């Protein structure tokens, strides 16, 4: 059993709940009734051990007596994990983990539930089931009540029930028992389980696998790195709370960006910026369901904002208030607290959000595949967002790096606001509203003039990351992606050269190289490395781009995923996991650098 957590974690989920499973069949992180809820599995973040039951608090572990090895692997094209456990005698058992998701009676069935099947493979393995869910952010073991074939756990906001055909007494006290047939475990809402538990959960597994395989069949993937792209796409889909369409930045909170840095943030919320990049990547793969659901979420956000500002992030239910606090009962990842719940960045001014809302919506006016095409009423609603962009594009904000103690006019935010006006002009032209197309074209030109005047640093011959300043950050590499500059524009090439010289550390990219609220950055920001790879490709430096991309592929976890940050020296992953930004970078670069499908004809 592990005594030192790491990020070699395997996500399962169904777009309602999710869990992270370590290399030894332990569920160590998972929240209910949704991704930003109370973590019933929280051993990843170090709760105090339970003295009452002598089991790790906030964990569900399957292990063999005298276990010597564990080998996890994903089922192909599905978020279903199979872990082969082996004991000292050579006896073997498979643990199959999934969250049910499939169509049933004309509706999508995605319950608040975690399902596990144990299946004997060889010999006579003896299994221990160590299930000790936590409540109130790791402060207590959940009280339990035993039934004939179930255990009821008192949880907030609602109790959960474990239904199983395994010996319930052995499950309750964690004693080993011989496994001679399949046993099923279903931890879900406190309702009587319908049907025979074993055969019903087995059917759930079969239907869930088929559902995901059909979803993957609709992806337009590149020829190269297919397995990696598929796994990233599935994981990005798991980061969507499908009930509302919100897309969270990561499934975890408070994994430090660097050891002992206290850069521990709660990422289980929907950032407008992160979600924009996520739908952009999935659109390139043809996963339009994610876009359509997210656009519905955005429409509600815009309606709720009214004449006020649009926040940089919201709760998965669209909640605006995300007060930041500390979970005192959790010691933190490897004891590196604090563990935060909530995120004070919701109070910040981050003006790039206005551009990202318009850019996310723009496809709806041009893509004839969508069930709900953008219409004139939608355009006029977006114009209100555009007016906010026009009013704020040259005003100070916290920027995309969310500085907590200072504000500047950030070039990235300003260019995103320009992009809002530029795309509104295109949308108006598509709808045939010529007066509004002219209005937004002229607005975009005025904004461009201000940006070029105040962000361009004549003496250095490059753009600055802030107006009237000399700073550099990696977001300047996005000037091409936002269509503000062409890749062969001398101004972009000069800016890219300066960014690379100042912020590249070998195979890594910094966000910025200046001190922030917590000092100098100590780790590389993975998404910025992917931005550099994209820029290298667009500038015709494909060999360099491919070499750097393959280096990033070497850093993938055994699950084929990435977190937010990488240690310069050791290559160890840090930051919340799995990180949507990083998965987006993997997908985008694979699409850019892959051989064409015609290469196999």
């Amino acid at each position: 059993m592990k005594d030192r957590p790491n990020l070699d974690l395997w996500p399962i989920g169904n777009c309602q709940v999710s869990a992270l499973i370590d290399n030894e069949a332990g569920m160590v992180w998972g929240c209910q009734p949704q991704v930003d809820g109370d973590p019933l599995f929280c051993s990843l973040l170090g709760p105090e051990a339970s003295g009452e039951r002598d089991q790790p608090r906030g964990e569900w572990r399957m292990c063999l007596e005298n276990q010597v090895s564990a080998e996890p692997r994903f089922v192909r094209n599905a978020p279903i994990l199979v872990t082969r456990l082996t004991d000292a005698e050579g006896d073997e058992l498979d643990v199959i983990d999934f969250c049910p998701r499939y169509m049933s009676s004309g509706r999508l069935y995605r319950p608040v539930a975690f399902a596990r099947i144990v299946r004997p493979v060889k010999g006579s393995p003896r299994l221990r089931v160590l299930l000790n869910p936590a409540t109130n952010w790791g402060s207590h073991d959940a009280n339990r009540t035993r039934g004939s074939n179930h255990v009821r756990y008192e949880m907030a906001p609602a109790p959960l029930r474990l239904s199983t055909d395994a010996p319930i007494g052995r499950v309750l006290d964690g004693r080993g028992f011989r496994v001679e047939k399949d046993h099923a475990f279903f931890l879900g809402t406190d309702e009587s389980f319908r049907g025979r538990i074993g055969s019903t959960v087995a059917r759930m597994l079969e239907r869930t696998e088929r559902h995901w395989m059909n979803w993957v069949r609709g992806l337009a993937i590149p020829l190269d790195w297919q397995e990696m792209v598929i796994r990233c796409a599935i994981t990005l889909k798991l980061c969507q709370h499908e009930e509302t369409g919100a897309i969270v930045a990561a499934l975890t909170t408070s994994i430090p960006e660097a050891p002992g840095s206290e850069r521990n943030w709660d990422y289980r919320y929907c950032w407008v910026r992160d979600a924009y990049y996520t739908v952009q990547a999935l659109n390139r793969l043809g996963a339009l369901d994610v876009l359509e659901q997210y656009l519905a979420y955005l429409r509600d956000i815009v309606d709720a904002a009214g004449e006020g500002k649009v926040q940089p992030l919201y709760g998965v239910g669209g909640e605006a208030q995300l007060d930041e606090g500390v979970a005192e009962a959790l010691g933190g990842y490897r004891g590196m607290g604090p563990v935060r719940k909530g995120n004070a960045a919701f109070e910040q001014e981050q003006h790039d959000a206005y551009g990202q809302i318009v850019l996310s919506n723009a496809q709806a006016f041009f893509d004839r595949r969508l069930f709900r095409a953008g219409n004139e009423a939608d355009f006029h609603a977006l114009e209100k967002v555009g007016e906010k962009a026009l009013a704020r594009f040259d005003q100070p904000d916290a920027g995309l790096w969310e500085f907590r103690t200072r504000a500047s006019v950030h070039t990235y935010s300003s260019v995103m606001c320009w992009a809002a006006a530029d795309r509104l002009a295109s949308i108006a032209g598509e709808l045939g509203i010529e007066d509004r197309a002219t209005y937004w074209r002229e607005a975009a030109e005025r904004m461009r003039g201000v940006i070029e005047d105040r962000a361009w640093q004549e003496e250095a011959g490059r753009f600055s990351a802030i107006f009237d300043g000399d700073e550099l950050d990696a977001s300047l590499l996005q000037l091409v992606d936002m269509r503000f500059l062409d890749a062969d524009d001398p101004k972009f090439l000069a800016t890219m050269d300066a960014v690379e010289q100042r912020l590249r550390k070998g195979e890594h990219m910094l966000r910025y190289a200046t001190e922030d609220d917590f000092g100098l950055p100590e780790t590389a920001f993975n998404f910025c490395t992917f931005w550099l790879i994209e820029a290298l490709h667009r500038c015709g430096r494909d060999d360099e781009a491919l070499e750097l991309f393959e280096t990033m592929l070497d850093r993938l976890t055994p699950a084929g995923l990435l977190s937010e940050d990488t240690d310069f020296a050791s290559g160890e992953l840090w930051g919340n996991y799995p990180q949507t930004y990083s998965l987006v970078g993997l997908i985008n670069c694979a699409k850019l650098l892959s051989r064409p499908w015609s290469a196999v004809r």
Side-chain angles (χ1 to χ4, degrees):
M1 298 196 19
K2 291 185 179 298
D3 58 5
R4 181 179 169 84
N6 60 47
L7 296 183
D8 290 351
L9 301 171
W10 306 71
I12 62 169
N14 60 7
C15 303
Q16 175 66 41
V17 291
S18 56
L20 297 178
I21 302 170
D22 67 19
N23 282 330
E24 297 178 355
M27 283 192 189
V28 297
W29 182 258
C31 303
Q32 65 89 24
Q34 57 198 36
V35 65
D36 61 355
D38 191 4
L40 72 162
F41 306 127
C42 56
S43 66
L44 178 68
L45 296 184
E48 297 177 0
S50 166
E52 179 183 350
R53 297 182 178 86
D54 194 29
Q55 294 181 16
R57 177 177 293 162
E59 188 169 287
W60 186 3
R61 185 170 299 279
M62 302 292 199
C63 58
L64 299 183
E65 293 180 355
N66 302 314
Q67 182 174 308
V68 296
S69 69
E71 298 178 2
R73 63 174 178 84
F74 274 129
V75 170
R76 187 175 75 92
N77 294 0
I80 299 170
L81 182 64
V82 180
T83 305
R84 175 71 53 89
L85 305 180
T86 305
D87 66 20
E89 302 301 319
D91 302 325
E92 296 178 345
L93 175 145
D94 282 345
V95 180
I96 305 169
D97 290 308
F98 68 104
C99 295
R101 176 183 170 84
Y102 50 85
M103 295 300 297
S104 177
S105 301
R107 295 181 297 176
L108 187 60
Y109 178 64
R110 51 168 194 272
V112 177
F114 307 90
R116 314 190 83 171
I117 297 172
V118 295
R119 178 166 294 163
V121 175
K122 180 182 177 183
S124 303
R126 292 184 59 82
L127 176 70
R128 294 182 66 202
V129 180
L130 306 176
L131 174 55
N132 188 18
T135 189
N136 193 22
W137 278 87
S139 60
H140 301 290
D141 297 344
N143 291 328
R144 59 203 69 193
T145 306
R146 173 179 173 169
S148 56
N149 295 104
H150 74 269
V151 182
R152 185 177 188 271
Y153 296 93
E154 289 292 339
M155 312 285 294
L160 296 179
R161 176 185 295 224
L162 174 72
S163 300
T164 183
D165 55 6
I168 201 73
R170 300 291 180 93
V171 172
L172 267 172
D173 60 23
R175 287 184 295 148
F177 61 94
R178 184 167 175 164
V179 179
E180 298 180 330
K181 63 175 184 177
D182 288 9
H183 289 292
F185 302 80
F186 186 88
L187 181 63
T189 52
D190 186 28
E191 302 170 350
S192 296
F193 193 89
R194 296 182 180 180
R196 294 169 60 90
I197 181 75
S199 57
T200 302
V201 173
R203 283 196 298 273
M204 288 179 176
L205 173 63
E206 179 184 352
R207 296 177 73 177
T208 298
E209 181 178 358
R210 188 183 312 123
H211 173 91
W212 283 104
M213 293 189 76
N214 282 331
W215 185 80
V216 168
R217 282 187 69 202
L219 299 179
I221 61 173
L223 173 59
D224 297 314
W225 310 295
Q226 293 185 40
E227 290 184 13
M228 178 273 290
V229 170
I230 289 170
R231 185 56 53 191
C232 288
I234 289 172
T235 308
L236 288 178
K237 177 66 176 172
L238 294 183
C239 289
Q240 182 166 57
H241 183 65
E242 209 164 48
E243 181 180 323
T244 62
I247 301 169
V248 299
L251 299 179
T252 59
T253 177
S254 301
I255 308 297
E257 294 179 15
S261 65
E262 297 193 14
R263 298 175 189 263
N264 303 6
W265 312 115
D266 192 347
Y267 277 10
R268 302 167 307 136
Y269 305 111
C270 183
W271 269 259
V272 173
R273 178 188 312 110
D274 300 51
Y276 156 69
Y277 282 111
T278 298
V279 297
Q280 181 191 58
L282 288 176
N283 288 349
R284 289 167 177 165
L285 299 179
L288 297 181
D289 58 325
V290 177
L291 170 66
E292 290 183 310
Q293 290 153 2
Y294 177 61
L295 292 184
Y297 177 82
L298 274 187
R299 286 191 289 270
D300 283 335
I301 292 298
V302 171
D303 288 347
E307 298 303 317
K309 74 169 186 177
V310 173
Q311 295 178 187
L313 70 152
Y314 294 85
V316 297
E319 301 89 350
Q321 195 79 14
L322 302 173
D323 294 328
E324 188 173 298
V326 173
E328 299 290 352
L330 296 175
Y333 180 76
R334 300 185 187 172
M336 299 175 188
V339 172
R340 291 188 171 93
K341 49 182 179 177
N343 198 304
F346 80 91
E347 298 180 295
Q348 292 184 352
E349 296 278 351
Q350 294 180 29
H351 300 151
D352 56 311
Y354 302 111
Q356 285 134 7
I357 288 174
V358 174
L359 267 61
S360 294
N361 276 274
Q363 185 171 339
F365 296 89
F366 296 90
D367 195 330
R368 300 297 180 252
R369 296 171 297 172
L370 298 178
F371 287 132
R372 186 189 184 282
N375 56 38
E376 190 166 333
D378 294 328
F379 167 70
H380 291 309
L382 282 181
E383 283 195 292
K384 297 178 182 178
V385 178
E387 291 293 352
K388 294 174 183 178
L390 183 56
R392 292 168 171 84
F393 84 99
D394 58 353
Q395 299 301 304
D397 72 350
L400 79 164
W401 309 126
E402 301 185 341
F403 298 118
R404 295 196 167 200
T405 59
R406 68 176 190 261
S408 301
V409 183
H410 290 91
T411 302
Y412 176 87
S413 297
S414 298
V415 175
M416 265 295 177
C417 289
W418 165 86
D422 178 75
R423 304 315 191 267
L424 284 168
S426 297
I427 294 168
E430 177 70 11
L431 295 174
I433 313 174
E434 291 305 324
D435 60 327
R436 301 312 295 167
T438 299
Y439 173 85
W440 286 112
R441 275 196 300 271
E442 292 175 349
E445 284 304 310
R446 291 197 304 273
M447 295 163 78
R448 174 183 282 277
V450 173
I451 295 168
E452 290 180 337
D453 178 56
R454 297 187 60 190
W456 178 254
Q457 192 181 54
E458 188 65 39
E459 185 175 339
R462 60 166 174 79
F463 279 98
S464 168
I466 62 173
F467 278 17
D468 308 319
D470 186 34
E471 294 187 13
L472 285 169
D473 73 34
S475 69
L476 293 170
L477 297 174
Q478 287 287 284
L479 293 176
V480 171
D481 190 72
M482 292 186 283
R483 305 205 316 243
F484 189 78
L485 296 175
D486 294 329
D488 59 355
D489 188 317
K491 289 186 175 182
F492 176 72
L493 294 174
T495 302
M496 177 182 167
D497 182 62
V499 168
E500 190 174 4
Q501 286 188 33
R502 183 87 60 87
L503 302 182
R504 182 171 181 176
K505 293 177 70 72
E507 299 166 344
H508 307 272
M509 276 291 290
L510 293 170
R511 286 173 286 189
Y512 43 83
T514 54
E515 287 196 10
D516 60 15
D517 314 327
F518 293 82
L520 286 170
E522 302 172 60
T523 52
F525 196 71
N526 291 325
F527 197 29
C528 295
T529 305
F530 291 118
W531 281 351
L532 176 61
I533 294 169
E534 292 179 41
L536 290 170
H537 166 75
R538 290 188 172 113
C539 294
R541 297 162 61 183
D542 278 354
D543 289 344
E544 295 174 69
L546 182 59
E547 182 179 1
L548 187 54
F549 184 55
E550 289 176 341
T551 299
M552 293 300 293
L553 294 178
D554 289 339
R555 299 197 179 105
L556 299 181
T557 65
L561 305 171
L562 283 173
S563 66
E564 182 182 42
D565 306 277
T566 301
D567 186 275
F568 298 136
S570 67
E572 184 174 10
L573 296 178
W574 290 89
N576 283 304
Y577 175 91
Q579 173 73 13
T580 53
Y581 267 160
S582 298
L583 306 186
V584 164
L586 285 164
I587 289 173
N588 288 344
C589 290
K591 289 284 284 186
L592 286 174
L593 299 176
S594 173
R595 294 170 297 161
W597 278 97
S598 59
V600 299
R601 294 175 188 159

